Amino acid sequence: MAANAAVFADTLDGLDASLFLVDTDGRLIHANTAGQAMLDACNVLLELRGLLMACDSTVSQTLRQVFAAAGRGDQAHGINGLAISMIGLDGERHVAHVLSLASGTRRNAGAAYGAVAALFVRKAALTISPRSEALRGAFKLTPTELRVMLAIVELGGVPEVAAALGVANTTIKTHVRRLFEKTGAARQADFVKLVAGYATPLREPADYGQSVGAIR
């Protein structure tokens, strides 16, 4: 059981989202690595006397109600997948999703348990992974085409990308035209959906940075 618990903890630590396991009173039972980093920042969520709380008092009240409802298991309607909007003290927006852990098979087993809910929290922004081999392979993109697609998603339109990459607008337009042909996208905004669809749920190494590089 100890070995299984260690594997379980390592798996949770590999997630990009901040994860918190709480009991029906909102007492924090476990936080993964990303979650602990969020708590240490005291910008969105914090741990106070063992309780998981939001920096925003209104959100804290919502969380208390949700955790209490999650403790009722199958009797709680609309808990699983519930999205809660959060704004950090720095003005950045985040979104939290709740998963009840006290329902179904676990409740029917009649076993005692502490954690009744899992709270997943992520910044409300598209995370662009520098490791996009799957996206590149799916549409047979060249390294430059992939670089242009990611730059458009991150920076905006052709002029912004051309300026950032130090090339002419016509060069970027040529790459965009080829991207439309290969991906079947009808407009540049469709690139956002493609990139989001291939985003990894795993944490990136701390020293792994994205570089758009140079385009020839």
Side-chain angles (χ1 to χ4, degrees):
M1 291 181 65
N4 288 339
V7 171
F8 179 69
D10 287 344
T11 301
L12 297 184
D13 286 341
L15 296 178
D16 179 53
S18 298
L19 169 65
F20 307 93
L21 301 180
V22 298
D23 67 10
T24 189
D25 295 320
R27 189 168 301 280
L28 182 63
I29 295 175
H30 179 78
N32 68 351
T33 298
Q36 189 58 55
M38 180 172 285
L39 293 177
D40 293 341
C42 295
N43 176 53
V44 180
L45 295 170
L46 53 86
E47 182 182 3
L48 183 61
R49 295 189 293 274
L51 298 177
L52 181 66
M53 305 180 67
C55 295
D56 184 314
S57 59
T58 301
V59 175
S60 273
Q61 182 177 359
T62 299
L63 290 177
R64 286 195 297 271
Q65 295 171 347
V66 168
F67 297 153
R72 296 194 292 271
D74 293 333
Q75 300 176 21
H77 299 289
I79 295 300
N80 287 343
L82 176 67
I84 302 172
S85 177
M86 300 178 175
I87 300 180
L89 298 179
D90 60 359
E92 293 283 351
R93 294 185 177 274
H94 295 70
V95 61
H97 296 275
V98 183
L99 174 66
S100 174
L101 302 177
S103 60
T105 303
R106 191 179 184 195
R107 173 170 288 276
N108 294 334
Y113 47 83
V116 299
L119 186 72
F120 299 85
V121 184
R122 294 191 67 175
K123 183 178 293 186
L126 176 63
T127 301
I128 301 177
S129 170
R131 297 181 297 179
S132 305
E133 292 87 354
L135 178 62
R136 177 183 171 187
F139 299 101
K140 295 180 173 56
L141 306 180
T142 67
T144 297
E145 288 167 348
L146 176 62
R147 197 175 302 126
V148 169
M149 177 186 284
L150 297 180
I152 287 176
V153 171
E154 183 176 10
L155 303 176
V158 169
E160 293 81 3
V161 173
L165 300 180
V167 298
N169 286 1
T170 53
T171 300
I172 300 301
K173 288 181 179 179
T174 298
H175 288 301
V176 170
R177 185 171 62 252
R178 291 173 180 167
L179 286 169
F180 283 154
E181 294 173 353
K182 288 187 175 183
T183 64
R187 52 182 183 165
Q188 293 177 28
D190 292 338
F191 294 155
V192 176
K193 298 178 182 179
L194 287 175
V195 173
Y198 283 85
T200 175
L202 305 180
R203 293 174 59 236
E204 296 291 343
D207 59 348
Y208 204 108
Q210 177 178 320
S211 174
V212 293
I215 289 183
R216 295 289 184 264

